[in-house]
Amino acid sequence: MRSIRKLIEFWRITPEELEIDPSEPPVVMHEPVLAPKYCHPVSGDTWDGQGPQPQWLKEALTKQGYTVEELRCKDPEESDQTH
């Protein structure tokens, strides 16, 4: 926020130029939450597949002997079907 304020001051940007009503609270943007793609069957740790691979997944694959397929989260629709 400090960097943004400094840039606004440096460029002398006004609230009108940003189409902001200074009396309104700022809008906070959130990243959408993605469903997990990988789940550890014992610890319950999950990863959505975005960003760097978490340590728990690396260890599950290299030290604990799990395969990628074993760590993929089950599709809820797939587990509801009876075979």
Side-chain angles (χ1 to χ4, degrees):
M1 286 300 291
R2 195 162 108 203
S3 297
I4 293 170
R5 285 189 181 109
K6 285 183 177 185
L7 287 169
I8 289 173
E9 288 172 14
F10 176 82
W11 292 107
R12 297 181 182 157
I13 299 171
T14 66
E16 293 78 27
E17 290 176 296
L18 296 173
E19 298 179 7
I20 295 174
D21 180 352
S23 64
E24 290 184 22
V27 175
V28 178
M29 302 298 285
H30 295 282
E31 298 264 335
V33 177
L34 301 174
K37 292 183 180 179
Y38 301 94
C39 310
H40 194 287
V42 176
S43 70
D45 290 324
T46 61
W47 182 47
D48 63 9
Q50 301 294 311
Q53 191 180 68
Q55 190 63 35
W56 72 262
L57 184 56
K58 291 176 187 175
E59 289 180 10
L61 292 168
T62 60
K63 295 179 181 175
Q64 298 172 4
Y66 287 99
T67 65
V68 172
E69 196 57 41
E70 290 172 319
L71 296 173
R72 277 205 181 100
C73 294
K74 303 289 185 262
D75 183 357
E77 292 178 12
E78 185 179 301
S79 61
D80 287 344
Q81 296 175 354
T82 54
H83 297 282

